Structures are given as structure tokens and as C-alpha cells.
Amino acid sequence: MRDYVCNVVRSHRCLCIFTVLQLTLMLSMLEVKLQIDQSPELQRPLTRVYLVTQLRELAWSPLFSGFAMGAMFYGYGLLHLPSKGPFGRFFSRLRSAGLAVWQQGSPVMLVPWTMKVAQNLSLFPCHMWQCLAKDAFLEADNCLLLVFLAVVLWNYLLILAIFSLVLAVRLNLQMMGARHIENGGNHELRAYVRGINELLGFEMIVLTD
């Protein structure tokens, strides 16, 4: 079972990373709110927990994850443009330009997703501080237990967010490094790489000394 899961992850690596990014973003949008119910019929104040989210933000959330996934695609997908035909030379220049821009600016595409997750996760400490500042909050039933569970949940979401970001950055760096191959004075390797680049119409593989 473990080998099967590993093979699925390797075969659908980008899909798995998108799923992790999207799941992390959606979970960060679930805002945990603790409120005190001081109804007259209650002997003691009662702590109530609410999970609040905005459906509009959830609907737009795949755009942030999809934009972040652009950091994992060579040249933002321009490599798949046709290399033959009347526009072959134009497409070759476009692929080369797209690859150069991706090489320099692809990590920037992770910034909107990171800022959105950080903004959502920062709401919980602010709300918790406001709740603890109230005198009736600590006197309510199940207050400390619910606060502890909410803090544990927030910590798990924070760890998941860091893990997702590290995973995306690591894959991006691996794809950048895959373009560069050490020459090592191997003339056959140089000829092979030159043939691949000529076939593609641009410098896809870079030989380093």
C-alpha cells in the first residue's frame, strides 16, 4: 500500500502539490471563534465555538493555489507551443523568453498564496487575545478546554502551511536545478545536449563548467 501511494504521488506530483496547497488554504479560511453565552437561564456563562468562513473567498481560493502552481511549470507552459509551422520561429523566441522569466521570477508566484494563508492564520491569535481579555471568558464552562483545542488546531494548521510552502519551494528549486547539467569535459554529453536544444529550438538544457 505504501509503495502504491508513493507511485501515485510520483506520477501525479503536481496534482498532489496543488491538492495540499488548496487544502491548506481552505483550512486556513476556517476562522475559529469563541463566544460567551451569558443567557439569564444559564447558571454560568457557556463557551460556544463557531467555525466561520466566507463562501466567496472559498470560491476564489483555487485561483491562489493555481497561481502558485505556476512556479512548478517550465516557462509557465509555453514549452508546449509547436516548434514547426509558419510561426515556429516566433514560438521558439516566446518559449525562450518564457523560460527566462520563469527561471528568474517563478518563486514570486508563491507570494500571493503565502500572504493569503498568513493573513487567515493571523486572525486567530488576535481573536483569542480579545476573548482572553474579557473577565467572563475564563469563568465560562469548558473555556480552558476549548481554548486548548483551538490552539492545537491552529498549531497544526501553521505546521501544514509551512510544510506546504517548503514542499512547493523545494519542487521549484529542483526543477530549476534540473535545467543545469555539469559538463565535466564530456564531448558526447555536450553534443547530446546541443542536439536536444536544437530540436526544441531554444536552450532548454544549460551546460555548466
Side-chain angles (χ1 to χ4, degrees):
M1 182 64 182
R2 181 180 178 181
D3 295 338
Y4 175 76
V5 173
C6 293
N7 292 332
V8 171
V9 172
R10 293 192 190 97
S11 302
H12 305 85
R13 183 171 53 179
C14 291
L15 179 60
C16 292
I17 293 180
F18 174 80
T19 303
V20 172
L21 292 175
Q22 179 62 19
L23 180 62
T24 304
L25 182 57
M26 293 179 66
L27 290 176
S28 68
M29 291 181 176
L30 295 177
E31 185 179 356
V32 180
K33 287 189 175 182
L34 302 178
Q35 294 184 357
I36 303 300
D37 187 358
Q38 294 179 305
S39 302
E41 59 271 11
L42 297 176
Q43 296 180 355
R44 293 184 57 185
L46 182 64
T47 307
R48 298 187 183 277
V49 182
Y50 298 94
L51 292 177
V52 182
T53 187
Q54 296 183 4
L55 297 179
R56 183 177 181 180
E57 291 189 359
L58 287 177
W60 285 99
S61 61
L63 294 180
F64 289 91
S65 301
F67 189 79
M69 286 300 298
M72 268 71 78
F73 289 98
Y74 285 119
Y76 305 121
L78 298 178
L79 299 182
H80 300 285
L81 293 176
S83 57
K84 298 181 180 180
F87 300 99
R89 181 175 298 179
F90 170 76
F91 287 152
S92 296
R93 294 178 179 177
L94 189 61
R95 288 196 300 268
S96 180
L99 190 61
V101 172
W102 174 85
Q103 186 76 27
Q104 298 296 328
S106 58
V108 180
M109 304 192 74
L110 295 169
V111 174
W113 180 91
T114 305
M115 294 182 62
K116 188 65 175 178
V117 173
Q119 178 185 2
N120 295 332
L121 292 179
S122 64
L123 296 177
F124 176 77
C126 297
H127 173 70
M128 189 59 59
W129 178 259
Q130 295 175 357
C131 292
L132 293 176
K134 299 178 181 178
D135 296 334
F137 189 80
L138 295 177
E139 299 176 357
D141 289 339
N142 301 323
C143 169
L144 296 179
L145 176 61
L146 293 176
V147 168
F148 174 76
L149 293 177
V151 171
V152 170
L153 176 61
W154 183 80
N155 286 329
Y156 274 113
L157 290 178
L158 182 61
I159 294 174
L160 180 61
I162 295 175
F163 171 77
S164 303
L165 181 60
V166 170
L167 187 65
V169 172
R170 181 179 178 182
L171 179 59
N172 178 252
L173 294 177
Q174 287 179 352
M175 297 186 70
M176 285 186 180
R179 286 193 62 220
H180 299 267
I181 300 179
E182 294 184 3
N183 183 13
N186 192 333
H187 299 287
E188 294 182 358
L189 179 61
R190 180 183 294 273
Y192 180 73
V193 171
R194 187 185 299 112
I196 293 178
N197 290 335
E198 291 178 356
L199 181 63
L200 295 175
F202 61 99
E203 192 179 19
M204 175 64 188
I205 303 176
V206 181
L207 285 175
T208 57
D209 297 330

